[in-house]
């Protein structure tokens, strides 16, 4: 989870009270590329996680040039989530999809915190409450990582786990 500070928002590191870090001040961003098969399950998981945490803010889905029915599925959703669909006409990659989603999320006037999650349902939404509490206690950035010594990537194919671990190692080497 990342505390973004649009103009007029509290400075990074400012204490955030529990009542302020919930409701519509928290947005979720989901980059999605060909996630038609995963989104119904993901939306059910998000509905439950938001009920538990009291979050009511927007869920920004960035369809990153999907070739399947990802966008149609988001448009046709009729549940309790406040979905906000943004579409890239072609696949621009995860970084651009995240940037697009973050920009859209902080354009909502009440949003102070943004949580990014995977469209393939590999994010552990059970950690959301703990992450929000860390933010409420003053953390500028809260990150859950499957690369943490106690972290893991569940229900992902071997190639995805290997690619993720390799990318993490490369970033560690490149950044020191």
């Amino acid at each position: 989870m990342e505390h973004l500070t649009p103009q007029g928002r509290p400075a990074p590191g400012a204490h955030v009270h529990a009542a302020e870090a919930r409701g519509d001040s928290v947005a979720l961003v989901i980059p999605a590329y060909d996630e038609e098969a995963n989104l119904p399950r993901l939306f059910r998981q998000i509905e439950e996680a938001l009920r538990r945490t009291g979050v009511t803010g927007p869920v920004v889905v960035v369809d990153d040039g999907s070739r399947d029915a990802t966008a149609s599925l988001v448009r046709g959703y009729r549940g309790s989530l406040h979905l906000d669909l943004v579409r890239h006409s072609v696949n621009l990659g995860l970084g651009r999809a995240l940037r697009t989603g973050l920009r859209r999320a902080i354009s909502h006037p009440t949003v102070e915190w943004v949580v990014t999650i995977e469209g393939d349902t590999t994010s552990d939404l059970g950690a959301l409450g703990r992450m929000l509490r860390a933010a409420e206690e003053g953390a500028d950035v809260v990150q859950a990582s499957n690369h943490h010594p106690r972290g893991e990537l569940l229900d992902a194919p071997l190639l995805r786990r290997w690619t993720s671990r390799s990318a993490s190692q490369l970033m560690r080497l490149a950044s020191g």
Side-chain angles (χ1 to χ4, degrees):
M1 177 165 48
E2 191 171 347
H3 186 169
L4 301 177
T5 313
Q7 292 191 356
R9 304 286 189 194
H15 182 71
V16 180
H17 298 285
E20 296 172 319
R22 298 288 164 63
D24 62 356
S25 66
V26 178
L28 272 65
V29 171
I30 306 167
Y33 178 69
D34 289 347
E35 297 294 353
E36 172 187 9
N38 293 317
L39 288 181
R41 180 173 38 148
L42 180 62
F43 291 160
R44 286 190 303 275
Q45 291 173 352
I46 294 171
E47 289 167 353
E48 177 58 31
L50 297 191
R51 267 193 299 278
R52 284 192 317 267
T53 59
V55 171
T56 59
V59 177
V60 179
V61 179
V62 180
D63 177 9
D64 191 28
S66 294
R67 298 163 296 175
D68 66 2
T70 293
S72 297
L73 200 144
V74 173
R75 275 193 228 100
Y77 172 81
R78 298 292 177 250
S80 61
L81 302 176
H82 303 285
L83 296 184
D84 181 0
L85 175 65
V86 183
R87 294 196 68 202
H88 290 166
S89 58
V90 296
N91 182 265
L92 300 175
L94 178 59
R96 293 282 296 274
L98 283 170
R99 185 178 335 159
T100 297
L102 291 169
R103 285 186 175 149
R104 176 62 70 96
I106 64 173
S107 75
H108 289 268
T110 59
V111 169
E112 300 229 11
W113 293 90
V114 179
V115 176
T116 61
I117 63 174
E118 303 286 338
D120 63 2
T121 70
T122 57
S123 295
D124 178 7
L125 294 174
L128 183 59
R130 292 188 309 274
M131 294 175 77
L132 290 172
R133 281 191 296 283
E136 292 160 2
E137 292 168 1
D140 293 326
V141 175
V142 180
Q143 179 181 0
S145 173
N146 59 305
H147 301 296
H148 183 277
R150 292 187 317 233
E152 58 186 316
L153 188 59
L154 300 174
D155 299 325
L158 180 61
L159 179 60
R160 166 81 198 284
R161 292 192 309 262
W162 181 83
T163 303
S164 180
R165 180 77 55 194
S166 298
S168 177
Q169 292 295 340
L170 181 61
M171 291 303 294
R172 282 189 186 132
L173 288 171
S175 67

